[in-house]
Amino acid sequence: MELLSIGEKASFSKTLTVYDVYSFAGITGDYNPVHINSRLAKNSMFGKQIVHGMLAGSLFSTVLGTQLPGPGTIYLEQDLKFKKPIYFDDTITAFVEVTEIINPKKGIYKLSTVLSNQNDEIVTDGYAIVMWNPAPRT
């Protein structure tokens, strides 16, 4: 079995738009006014609409499933700590780094997961535990 190494890194960036937020609300049913109602969100502690934390957090899935470890990755656990709000049109980068090889025979790894905005501010951090069983290469 192919093994990952501690310290391997990958990232993915995306600008999160009003379209993304309203699509996510439609898919999940999370119509919290702080996300979808500009008039009500203006009176919130954030002063304007914010992106769903779980929408931004899902960018980790992009990195994990396509880059590191890559295809064949199965999520086992995700820890998220929301540090700062994410606003419409913020460009968010999901950073993933292998920090621990939990079980090399089963392909289980712990990875650091961090989201930062276009100002290099950490908006979310945590970790993921995944199982990786890469598909045989042809």
Side-chain angles (χ1 to χ4, degrees):
M1 172 181 263
E2 204 174 328
L3 292 178
L4 301 177
S5 299
I6 291 176
E8 284 188 67
K9 299 177 184 179
S11 64
F12 173 78
S13 297
K14 178 170 177 42
T15 300
L16 297 173
T17 67
V18 63
Y19 176 80
D20 297 316
V21 171
Y22 281 75
S23 295
F24 187 82
I27 290 166
T28 64
D30 181 354
Y31 295 104
N32 184 333
V34 76
H35 304 302
I36 63 157
N37 187 312
S38 62
R39 185 177 53 78
L40 293 176
K42 192 182 318 181
N43 297 321
S44 75
M45 63 188 276
F46 305 109
K48 59 184 175 178
Q49 289 170 268
I50 61 171
V51 172
H52 298 81
M54 295 307 290
L55 167 57
S58 68
L59 297 179
F60 294 128
S61 184
T62 300
V63 179
L64 296 171
T66 65
Q67 297 180 48
L68 180 68
T73 300
I74 303 297
Y75 251 120
L76 300 179
E77 183 176 336
Q78 177 72 62
D79 171 77
L80 297 172
K81 293 173 189 72
F82 301 105
K83 306 286 190 177
K84 290 181 176 265
I86 299 169
Y87 299 103
F88 289 19
D89 299 320
D90 278 355
T91 299
I92 301 302
T93 302
F95 296 95
V96 172
E97 179 178 355
V98 178
T99 57
E100 184 179 346
I101 301 169
I102 295 174
N103 186 328
K105 289 184 180 182
K106 291 186 177 182
I108 300 176
Y109 299 89
K110 184 174 184 179
L111 302 100
S112 165
T113 55
V114 175
L115 294 177
S116 68
N117 64 20
Q118 66 278 359
N119 301 318
D120 292 323
E121 300 169 314
I122 294 175
V123 295
T124 305
D125 70 5
Y127 66 86
I129 297 178
V130 300
M131 180 183 296
W132 182 53
N133 186 8
R137 298 176 190 207
T138 57

